[in-house]
Amino acid sequence: MSTLSERILGAAAGDYVDAEVDRAYVHDGTGVLTLEAWKEMGCPGPAHPERLYILFDHIVPANNSTTATLQKELREFARSRGIHFSDIGGGVCHQIMGEGEVLPGEIVVGADSHSCTLGAFGAFATGVGATDMAAVWASGTTWFRVPETIAVRLSGSFNSAVEAKDLALTVVSKLGMDGASYRALEYIGEGTKSLSMEGRLTMTNLATEAGAKTGLFYADDVTRAYLLQFGHRVENQVPEPCTYACEVRIDLGDLVPVVAPPPRVDSARPVASLEGLPLDQVFVGTCTNGRFEDLQRFASIVRDKKVIVRTIVIPSSAGVLRKAADTGVLSTIVASGCTIGTPGCGPCLGAHMGVIGEGEVCLSTANRNFTNRMGIGGSVYLASVATAAASALKGVLTVPEVNHAP
Amino acid sequence: MHLEGNVVCLGADIDTDVIIAGRYLRTKDRQVWVEHVFEDLDPSLGARLRGSVLVAGRNFGCGSSREQAAVALKEAGLIAVIAPSFSRIFFRNAINVGLPVVEGECHCASGDHVVIDLDEGVVICGGARTPVRPLSARMQEILRAGGLVPLWRSKKQ
Ligand code: SF4
C-alpha cells in the first residue's frame, strides 16, 4: 500500500533509491552550467541522449551577445549529440514537456525548480541542480530520498470567477513556504475530477513554492483524454490506501479569488481586500498560467474592451500560440491593446521583455513575487488569469466578477 | 570533517534570487557571482563571507534551482551554512559543489566562533554543543572529494 511517489520510485518513504531517469531536461539558463559540469566530469557521450532535452525558454530570443554565445554552444551541443532540442520560441520547458512528452509513472528530472509541474501526469517529477543533471547526462541515473507525502484532499467545485490558480495560491498559503519541505503533495478526492489538465499543471507548478519535492495527480480520465491528443494511450492510476504524513482538506466551493502580495508566495489574501491597488503592468503567461485555457479565459474577459494599463501576454509554447491564432483568441487579445511576446518565460525572471522599473507594481500570473524578481525596486503581485484580465481593464487590482470560462 | 569560522547570522526563507539575482546568471564567470552575492539583501555582506559560517533561519536557499547560488557562496570563501532546514534543491546543489550544509538549530550571534564536527554531527558554539542531523555516507563522500565533479573524475582514474 503506497503513495504514488512510493509506487513510482519502488521504495518506502525515507529510503534512498538509485533510479533510472526516463526524461531529463535543462533550459538555456541551467543548461550552460550543466554542460560545464558535464565536460569537467570528462565522460564520453551522454548515456541516453534520447531521454535528454535541451529547451530554450529563459532568455529568448537572446538579449545580448553574451547570451547569444552561451546559447550557440548549447545549441550546437544538442544537435551534435542527438538530444531533443527546442529553439527560441518553442516555449517554456515545463510546458513543452507537458505537451505529450511526459507520461504517467515516469521518473522525470528537470534542471529547474518548477519541474514538479510534470507531476500533474502522475509522473514523479522534480527539480535538480546543474551538477546533479550533469551526472544524469553521464549515467542516465540519479538518487532520491523517497519523500513522505502530504495529501491535499479536494471536494466540491469552483464558484464563478475562481480558478486553479486561486486554489494553488491558497494551498501554498495554508502550508507556508516550507510547509512541505522534502515532502510530496498528492492531490486527491472528488474535487480533482473537475480540474482540467491545464488546471492541474497550474497546481503542481506551485508545489515547489511550499517547498515540496513534487506535486502529483493520479492519472485518470482527464489525463487520458489529454494525452490522447498527442497520440498516447495510457492507463488510469488507481489510488491505493496508503499512509500520508498529514492531510489538508479544501472545499473548492469555499474559495475566493486571491492575490499574493510580495515578497512571499504564501501570502495569499482575498483580492477584495486589496481592490483598487494601482498597477503599472499586467503580465499573463509563464509555466503557471500561459496555457491555451488561460489565454482563452483572458480573451473572454477582455473581448470588445480595452486594457488601460500596459499588458503583456505571452503564450507558454508555440503550440499554445498556434491554437490561439487558429481560434481567434489571439486577435481578441491583440485588439484589446495587449502586447504579445515570444513563447517562453518572458519577464518572469526579470531578465528582459517586460522588466519593471523602480517603484512599479506588476500584477502577474506567474509563481514568484520575490524581492526584485521582475526588476530592481519593482513589486510583483501574483493572481489568477481572471483577476489579471479584470484588473487590466480597470488599471487597478480588481475582483473578477463572473466565470468567463467558455 | 572538521570546520570552523566566525558566525554571520541571517533570517529565515533566504531565497536564491537574494543570494544571486537572476540578472547575473548569464555568464560562466564565477567571479561575477562572487561580486554580486547577496547584493539585494546587503551589498556589504559578500565581503564578510570569506572564512565565515552562515547561521540562517528555516528554509535556506528556497526558490529557483540556480546552482550559481551555491557556487557563489562557495567561491566567496564561505566555510559552511547552518540552518534548521534547507530547500531541497539548494541542499543537493551545495553538497554537489562541495559547500558543507548542516541541518540543525544553532543559537549563536554574529561574530561568535563556531566549530562544526561533521563526523560526530555536532556544532560547538560558546561552549554549547548542539547535535545536528548527520549527512548520509554518500553526501560525506561527495564533500570529502570537494564536490560531485571531482568525485566523478577521481572514480574514473
Ligand atoms: S516561466 Fe518563470 S517560473 Fe516558469 S520556468 Fe520560466 S522563469 Fe521559471
Side-chain angles (χ1 to χ4, degrees):
Chain A
M1 298 294 133
S2 314
T3 64
L4 190 48
S5 299
E6 291 172 326
R7 217 195 286 180
I8 297 170
L9 294 175
D15 290 352
Y16 286 90
V17 295
D18 285 295
E20 284 278 324
V21 171
D22 294 299
R23 293 175 209 282
Y25 62 104
V26 301
H27 52 65
D28 50 313
T30 52
V32 172
L33 271 197
T34 304
L35 183 53
E36 282 297 293
W38 185 79
K39 283 195 290 197
E40 282 177 44
M41 284 176 179
C43 300
H48 296 281
E50 73 286 357
R51 298 183 196 166
L52 307 183
Y53 297 75
I54 296 178
L55 312 165
F56 282 9
D57 58 4
H58 269 52
I59 304 196
V60 294
N63 61 339
N64 61 32
S65 42
T66 311
T67 307
T69 305
L70 293 173
Q71 290 185 0
K72 176 171 176 267
E73 185 183 1
L74 208 47
R75 183 183 288 114
E76 283 166 0
F77 176 76
R79 290 190 172 145
S80 67
R81 303 290 175 144
I83 293 170
H84 299 276
F85 177 63
S86 168
D87 211 327
I88 61 155
V92 185
C93 57
H94 312 301
Q95 175 63 17
I96 294 176
M97 295 307 288
E99 292 181 351
E101 298 298 326
V102 170
L103 299 175
E106 290 187 341
I107 294 174
V108 180
V109 293
D112 187 276
S113 57
H114 291 103
S115 306
C116 51
T117 309
L118 283 316
F121 294 103
F124 186 86
T126 192
V128 297
T131 303
D132 263 333
M133 182 57 82
V136 173
W137 283 9
S139 68
T141 65
T142 193
W143 63 272
F144 298 106
R145 184 172 173 276
V146 182
E148 295 182 311
T149 296
I150 297 174
V152 180
R153 189 178 292 278
L154 306 175
S155 59
S157 56
F158 289 133
N159 282 321
S160 64
V162 173
E163 58 190 77
K165 180 60 165 296
D166 298 301
L167 170 59
L169 288 172
T170 302
V171 169
V172 174
S173 72
K174 275 183 188 284
L175 290 168
M177 259 165 78
D178 63 348
S181 283
Y182 310 127
R183 291 172 167 173
L185 296 177
E186 247 180 41
Y187 308 92
I188 57 171
E190 280 301 298
T192 57
K193 295 212 175 104
S194 63
L195 283 172
S196 66
M197 201 62 235
E198 306 203 338
R200 293 175 187 194
L201 287 158
T202 302
M203 295 290 304
T204 50
N205 180 262
L206 268 90
T208 189
E209 305 309 331
K213 192 168 209 164
T214 189
L216 305 98
F217 280 85
Y218 286 81
D220 63 4
D221 294 347
V222 173
T223 324
R224 276 199 315 169
Y226 176 92
L227 287 172
L228 201 55
Q229 298 174 69
F230 300 99
H232 297 297
R233 285 179 194 284
V234 300
E235 303 276 313
N236 287 4
Q237 291 166 323
V238 183
E240 315 175 335
C242 59
T243 311
Y244 291 119
C246 62
E247 190 166 304
V248 177
R249 288 166 186 258
I250 296 177
D251 185 331
L252 302 182
D254 291 342
L255 299 176
V256 295
V258 293
V259 59
R264 298 175 64 96
V265 185
D266 61 358
S267 62
R269 52 195 279 188
V271 176
S273 70
L274 280 175
E275 193 160 34
L277 176 87
L279 303 174
D280 298 290
Q281 176 170 302
V282 173
F283 170 42
V284 176
T286 78
C287 56
T288 314
N289 276 128
R291 303 187 180 86
F292 178 70
E293 198 177 275
D294 299 315
L295 267 50
Q296 195 176 36
R297 190 179 306 112
F298 184 86
S300 71
I301 298 172
V302 301
R303 176 167 296 127
D304 301 327
K305 302 193 178 86
K306 291 278 181 208
V307 298
I308 61 165
V309 61
R310 66 174 196 264
T311 300
I312 300 168
V313 178
I314 304 192
S316 59
S317 74
V320 170
L321 175 59
R322 202 176 313 121
K323 197 161 169 189
D326 290 348
T327 52
V329 160
L330 186 64
S331 53
T332 301
I333 295 174
V334 172
S336 73
C338 299
T339 299
I340 306 292
T342 307
C345 302
C348 178
L349 69 157
H352 71 152
M353 291 221 298
V355 172
I356 53 175
E358 213 165 295
E360 287 195 317
V361 174
C362 179
L363 182 65
S364 165
T365 65
N367 46 34
R368 289 209 173 120
N369 54 5
F370 299 159
T371 303
N372 299 339
R373 168 91 178 172
M374 279 183 69
I376 301 169
S379 310
V380 181
Y381 288 67
L382 306 174
S384 72
V385 172
T387 300
S391 303
L393 294 174
K394 294 265 178 66
V396 297
L397 188 63
T398 303
V399 180
E401 274 169 15
V402 289
N403 192 351
H404 290 263
Chain B
M1 238 177 158
H2 182 91
L3 307 161
E4 58 189 292
N6 289 331
V7 170
V8 174
C9 286
L10 286 179
D13 298 314
I14 299 292
D15 64 70
T16 51
D17 275 61
V18 154
I19 300 173
I20 185 71
R23 57 187 179 278
Y24 299 120
L25 299 183
R26 268 351 95 161
T27 175
K28 291 192 258 184
D29 182 354
R30 295 169 171 233
Q31 204 48 40
V32 170
W33 308 328
V34 173
E35 274 163 26
H36 298 284
V37 67
F38 285 126
E39 184 175 276
D40 290 352
L41 186 70
D42 172 357
S44 75
L45 188 52
R48 287 184 274 136
L49 296 180
R50 186 154 303 281
S52 298
V53 172
L54 269 185
V55 176
R58 294 181 353 182
N59 202 23
F60 187 87
C62 61
S64 151
S65 70
R66 63 191 64 162
E67 195 165 292
Q68 290 93 335
V71 174
L73 294 175
K74 164 102 179 149
E75 297 280 322
L78 192 69
I79 302 288
V81 188
I82 306 174
S85 65
F86 291 84
S87 119
R88 53 164 290 276
I89 300 181
F90 178 84
F91 192 83
R92 274 180 89 131
N93 286 348
I95 301 277
N96 284 342
V97 305
L99 174 67
V101 273
V102 181
E103 242 182 310
E105 302 264 0
C106 175
H107 302 283
C108 45
S110 286
D112 287 355
H113 188 78
V114 67
V115 176
I116 304 167
D117 188 330
L118 276 184
D119 305 316
E120 248 194 87
V122 67
V123 168
I124 304 151
C125 185
R129 294 169 63 88
T130 315
V132 292
R133 191 178 175 144
L135 294 173
S136 73
R138 186 194 313 246
M139 291 176 194
Q140 296 215 31
E141 186 191 13
I142 297 172
L143 279 182
R144 269 196 304 272
L148 191 57
V149 169
L151 182 65
W152 264 83
R153 292 176 69 96
S154 68
K155 281 193 171 166
K156 280 181 56 230
Q157 279 153 17

